[in-house]
Amino acid sequence: MSKIALLKTKSFRLLFVIAIFAGIGFAFAVDTDNDGMSDLYEEFFKLDPTSSTDATENYDTDLLNNLQESQIWTDPAIADTDADGFADHEDDQPLSRAVAIWGYP
């Protein structure tokens, strides 16, 4: 079987897709400081991916610590991530809409 014929097989394409998704999953799963928050989340929200102490902190006025915020991908510095009038801890859909605040870094 030629290399081109191999690339066109269903099993090769399936393995290729699985490998891509496994790689993406690994990128989300990297947790350098073993605090339960992925490095991707910590870097996105300007937390320290090398310090586990930030997982128990609560930088906003909601009742969720940073680890709990990371599990639902809400902003650990804003009590109402989607600005719908409900704090993240009491909102059943804390990411119900996209919000872009002008001038917010």
Side-chain angles (χ1 to χ4, degrees):
M1 179 180 287
S2 71
K3 290 181 182 178
I4 299 213
L6 176 65
L7 293 175
K8 291 182 177 181
T9 63
K10 286 184 181 181
S11 58
F12 178 81
R13 287 184 290 197
L14 178 62
L15 286 174
F16 181 75
V17 169
I18 290 170
I20 294 295
F21 280 107
I24 291 170
F26 179 75
F28 280 100
V30 173
D31 182 10
T32 303
D33 55 9
N34 294 314
D35 62 358
M37 297 186 293
S38 72
D39 289 357
L40 182 66
Y41 177 85
E42 292 193 69
E43 290 167 3
F44 186 82
F45 287 109
K46 308 296 186 224
L47 301 175
D48 186 355
T50 63
S51 172
S52 62
T53 59
D54 56 1
T56 57
E57 298 291 326
N58 183 11
Y59 299 136
D60 51 19
T61 58
D62 65 18
L63 300 179
L64 303 174
N65 63 33
N66 292 343
L67 176 59
Q68 293 166 319
E69 300 253 16
S70 75
Q71 293 167 344
I72 54 176
W73 269 81
T74 53
D75 191 330
I78 298 176
D80 182 10
T81 299
D82 60 2
D84 65 354
F86 298 98
D88 292 340
H89 71 278
E90 58 188 18
D91 195 343
D92 62 338
Q93 295 180 335
L95 297 175
S96 61
R97 60 187 183 153
V99 176
I101 301 169
W102 184 259
Y104 185 72

